[in-house]
Amino acid sequence: WRWPAGLAALCYAALCVPFFDWIIDDAGISFAYAENLVRGHGLVLHPAHRPEEGYSNLLWVLVLAAFRGLGADVAVTAKVLGVALGALTIALAVRTAVQESGASEELLLPAGALLAAAPYVIWTSSGLENAIVGVLTMWLVVAPHSRHPRAVTAAALALFILVRPEAPLFVAAVVAAEVIAAPGGL
């Protein structure tokens, strides 16, 4: 599974290169909150303003703030993390497909190419939190194969809540599916 997963992740990263200088304007909101948090102003968009939630991705803001606190540039961090997490998501998806489907590795290369399609490349390299959503989604896919599947699933779902405002709906759907699929479920 290693070479198809690695090749798919490498292809994805290569497709992100033309977008490295581009950041979607909404990412600037997360950047400002992270910067102001590190500077001691709190979770505010503008210093000296009252706190108000203008971001929709607390986990991403906190991750960017942590790197900013270490001296990293927030925009560069967002781009590098976005591409790294996007590549990890693709590698995990291809690896899981190889392990679960029993298909030959060569047949899974088109699946990897599909994962590197334009919308995925654009949004994960935009400076926004989309790549964290991808990694957490794959984390949920591989959780049943872990040593402690319920704990791994719970951790992923807890982080999901901090990523996107619609996450509680996603968490509810995962929990409902777990209940239905459990022995003696609905």
Side-chain angles (χ1 to χ4, degrees):
W1 64 267
R2 286 186 178 100
W3 76 263
L7 183 59
L10 186 60
C11 289
Y12 156 80
L15 291 170
C16 290
V17 170
F19 297 102
F20 202 78
D21 289 337
W22 173 75
I23 296 176
I24 193 161
D25 58 348
D26 282 357
I29 297 168
S30 299
F31 298 174
Y33 276 94
E35 185 72 36
N36 287 325
L37 180 61
V38 171
R39 288 186 179 182
H41 302 295
L43 279 172
V44 295
L45 185 59
H46 302 288
H49 283 202
R50 291 181 7 174
E52 63 180 340
E53 187 179 342
Y55 53 87
S56 60
N57 49 15
L58 179 60
L59 181 60
W60 189 239
V61 169
L62 294 176
V63 167
L64 295 177
F67 277 92
R68 181 66 185 119
L70 295 171
D73 179 89
V74 174
V76 172
T77 298
K79 297 295 282 188
V80 171
L81 279 178
V83 173
L85 293 173
L88 176 61
T89 301
I90 286 179
L92 284 171
V94 171
R95 172 184 169 247
T96 303
V98 169
Q99 288 179 337
E100 295 298 314
S101 71
S104 75
E105 295 169 344
E106 294 81 11
L107 294 176
L108 292 168
L109 288 176
L114 179 61
L115 290 170
Y120 188 75
V121 169
I122 291 167
W123 287 108
T124 55
S125 66
S126 70
L128 288 172
E129 73 282 355
N130 302 76
I132 285 183
V133 172
V135 166
L136 289 174
T137 301
M138 282 311 303
W139 188 348
L140 290 169
V141 170
V142 300
H145 306 289
S146 67
R147 201 173 287 168
H148 304 285
R150 290 188 186 265
V152 172
T153 300
L157 292 175
L159 290 172
F160 241 116
I161 293 292
L162 297 175
V163 176
R164 297 287 312 144
E166 67 275 7
L169 297 173
F170 186 81
V171 170
V174 170
V175 170
E178 182 72 22
V179 167
I180 292 168
L186 300 177

